Amino acid sequence: MKKNKFIKSTIILIIGGFITKILGMLIKIVMTRLIGTEGIGIYMLISPTFMLLISLAQLGFPIAISKIVAEDRVNNKNIVFSIIPISLLINILIIIFMLLTSSYIANNLLHEPRSYYALICTGLVLPFISISSILRGYFFGKQKMIPHVVSNVTEDIIRLIIIMIGIPIFLTKGIEYAVAFIVLSNIISEITSIIVLFFFLPKNFKLERKDFIPNATNMKSIFRISIPTTGSRLIGNIGHFLEPIIVTTILLQIGYTNTFIVKEYGIINGYAMPLLLLPSFFTAAISQALLPIVSNNYTKGNLKYTKNKIKQACLISLLIGIPATIIFELFPQVLLNYIYNTNEGINYIRFLAPICLLHYIQAPISSSLQAMGKATDSMKGTLIGMLLKTIFLIILCYLKIGLWGLIIAVSFNIFFVTIYDLKKVQKYLN
């Protein structure tokens, strides 16, 4: 029964992930063709900041809720809704921070004044992302994957429509306004997602004032899981946040032009990486389905079953990743032309494709550590990997090899973090 539930959950998430990945690619294609390489470059420069803010805003609550709900030992309704006021308070503080610092980040850290409006908009989107993520955490804990899939598909369809209509309008005002609009489009799509998720709550569901009042014991349980989880994500996102700052600062210092840097950074993060991470929707689906299974069985001491599930998840990830890697190595030009209508990024893709095989199994391994209550170990691995990546990036940028310094540093990070997490999982299951 448990096996069937895991497989069923995985299949649902893979199908949903496939649909949302196609929609995501359509969104990226529309964006690329409407705002061009320069616009994508600006969007990719602010993306690490956006990801960092999302991690801060969520504070690991979705994963914590998913784990606690999966254990089914407390009032699930109070767990989910009592955390929302705390989450909104954190989001308000972040919005204020971004209003005060966006100008400095745009001009002094990213060295791209046109990113200013988009940076302000990132803060405004956060409350909506946080609430939808908390609701998804509840459904993952219940191993109900259809609400997640339906909300994601609906969200992406709405966003695609909004972007197709809105970008041409805002482009008439300037490329910086078009990029800011792309960020703001998340508000409407996330509201759509929240509405869809509410439809999947039980029919007799009724919210009362007491449901929003935090319970001290529940809060301790949430923060005990969420803080290490957030620490791991924050460390990764801080490294990603520093990435464009280090690249632009050093490369400008040693003689590269801002136009070259923005263009190449946009090619790597706008074309090459999204293409290479295309199979990750499979591994993400496997990881999401794996988390409640591992959490439940590891807590009960079913180590053999837990170990088999993790092995199964990694094997499925490789069965998907290996054919994808071969295709990326043999036909990068065809894929780039077909999807993005460009030839830029071929060499980057061929170099990174074999490395990304490790990235594909990193997600289920990391998810397993979090499900076993060992998020602190995952955080340590991410911290060491981020520090080494940053050191490598600084040194390599000074070697005057353009953006290849970034490619090599990212590759080393993927290799180190995956091997570190794998060793930790083996330690706890042997």
Side-chain angles (χ1 to χ4, degrees):
M1 179 70 181
K2 287 187 289 185
K3 182 178 178 182
N4 290 339
K5 196 161 191 177
F6 171 68
I7 293 170
K8 182 182 176 183
S9 297
T10 304
I11 290 170
I12 290 170
L13 286 170
I14 286 174
I15 293 170
F18 180 71
I19 296 168
T20 54
K21 205 68 181 180
I22 290 173
L23 288 168
M25 292 300 291
L26 284 173
I27 290 169
K28 186 63 69 68
I29 291 166
V30 170
M31 282 170 53
T32 303
R33 300 197 178 193
L34 288 176
I35 63 174
T37 304
E38 191 177 14
I40 286 291
I42 296 169
Y43 183 76
M44 288 303 149
L45 279 178
I46 65 106
S47 287
T49 306
F50 196 13
M51 292 300 106
L52 175 61
L53 294 176
I54 289 172
S55 291
L56 281 168
Q58 291 182 345
L59 207 65
F61 293 152
I63 289 175
I65 288 167
S66 181
K67 188 178 186 316
I68 293 169
V69 169
E71 293 170 359
D72 202 23
R73 293 185 297 185
V74 295
N75 183 334
N76 291 332
K77 191 161 66 164
N78 181 260
I79 277 283
V80 173
F81 289 97
S82 65
I83 205 67
I84 288 178
I86 297 171
S87 177
L88 290 176
L89 177 61
I90 293 167
N91 279 269
I92 290 167
L93 293 174
I94 296 172
I95 290 170
I96 294 168
F97 174 78
M98 287 308 295
L99 289 172
L100 296 174
T101 62
S102 289
S103 178
Y104 179 81
I105 294 170
N107 293 297
N108 299 87
L109 298 181
L110 298 179
H111 305 282
E112 180 51 81
R114 292 175 297 178
S115 65
Y116 170 68
Y117 293 115
L119 286 167
I120 288 179
C121 292
T122 57
L124 302 176
V125 172
L126 296 176
F128 305 96
I129 293 175
S130 297
I131 292 172
S132 68
S133 299
I134 287 169
L135 291 174
R136 284 193 179 100
Y138 165 77
F139 286 111
F140 278 133
K142 286 290 186 183
Q143 295 185 53
K144 294 180 179 179
M145 306 305 170
I146 290 177
H148 167 76
V149 169
V150 174
S151 66
N152 264 359
V153 171
T154 309
E155 177 184 328
D156 282 346
I157 290 171
I158 295 296
R159 189 157 184 252
L160 178 61
I161 294 168
I162 292 168
I163 283 174
M164 288 175 68
I165 296 170
I167 289 178
I169 296 169
F170 282 87
L171 265 177
T172 59
K173 300 178 181 294
I175 198 165
E176 62 269 40
Y177 292 100
V179 175
F181 169 76
I182 291 170
V183 176
L184 277 179
S185 67
N186 285 283
I187 292 178
I188 298 173
S189 60
E190 290 292 342
I191 289 173
T192 305
S193 179
I194 292 166
I195 292 169
V196 170
L197 289 169
F198 263 97
F199 274 114
F200 282 95
L201 290 170
K203 289 182 180 178
N204 59 351
F205 177 82
K206 186 179 179 183
L207 274 176
E208 299 174 15
R209 179 181 286 184
K210 65 179 182 180
D211 296 322
F212 291 94
I213 299 172
N215 175 286
T217 305
N218 289 347
M219 290 303 104
K220 284 179 184 177
S221 299
I222 288 174
F223 282 104
R224 191 168 58 246
I225 300 165
S226 71
I227 296 301
T229 302
T230 302
S232 184
R233 289 191 66 184
L234 274 180
I235 290 163
N237 284 319
I238 287 169
H240 199 36
F241 169 73
L242 293 173
E243 181 185 289
I245 296 169
I246 292 168
V247 168
T248 53
T249 301
I250 295 176
L251 293 187
L252 283 171
Q253 184 183 332
I254 62 176
Y256 287 93
T257 65
N258 189 61
T259 302
F260 170 83
I261 297 166
V262 171
K263 181 185 176 186
E264 290 299 307
Y265 195 82
I267 289 167
I268 292 170
N269 288 290
Y271 301 154
M273 290 306 295
L275 193 59
L276 288 165
L277 297 180
L278 191 59
S280 64
F281 77 85
F282 283 106
T283 58
I286 294 163
S287 303
Q288 288 162 351
L290 189 66
L291 193 145
I293 298 287
V294 170
S295 177
N296 190 276
N297 285 279
Y298 186 80
T299 303
K300 293 175 180 176
N302 300 331
L303 298 188
K304 187 177 179 181
Y305 182 81
T306 303
K307 192 173 183 177
N308 287 337
K309 284 294 128 190
I310 295 171
K311 280 183 178 179
Q312 186 180 12
C314 290
L315 180 62
I316 295 169
S317 297
L318 286 174
L319 287 173
I320 294 159
I322 290 169
T325 300
I326 294 169
I327 292 169
F328 293 141
E329 285 289 342
L330 295 177
F331 309 110
Q333 186 172 356
V334 174
L335 293 169
L336 285 167
N337 268 322
Y338 182 75
I339 297 172
Y340 299 117
N341 194 30
T342 183
N343 292 320
E344 306 275 12
I346 292 171
N347 292 331
Y348 294 142
I349 289 171
R350 284 197 167 127
F351 184 91
L352 284 168
I355 306 294
C356 282
L357 262 179
L358 285 173
H359 190 277
Y360 301 146
I361 65 168
Q362 190 182 109
I365 293 169
S366 176
S367 179
S368 298
L369 277 176
Q370 291 168 359
M372 291 188 288
K374 309 297 181 184
T376 303
D377 288 293
S378 181
M379 182 177 71
K380 287 177 183 175
T382 306
L383 175 60
I384 298 168
M386 186 272 285
L387 291 173
L388 291 172
K389 173 193 166 187
T390 304
I391 293 166
F392 268 79
L393 184 58
I394 292 169
I395 295 169
L396 291 166
C397 280
Y398 278 113
L399 295 180
K400 295 188 176 182
I401 54 175
L403 273 290
W404 279 101
L406 173 61
I407 295 292
I408 296 168
V410 166
S411 301
F412 181 82
N413 178 261
I414 292 170
F415 177 82
F416 175 84
V417 174
T418 306
I419 300 301
Y420 183 95
D421 284 358
L422 183 59
K423 292 288 183 184
K424 289 296 180 181
V425 168
Q426 289 174 337
K427 173 187 171 183
Y428 291 118
L429 292 177
N430 286 333

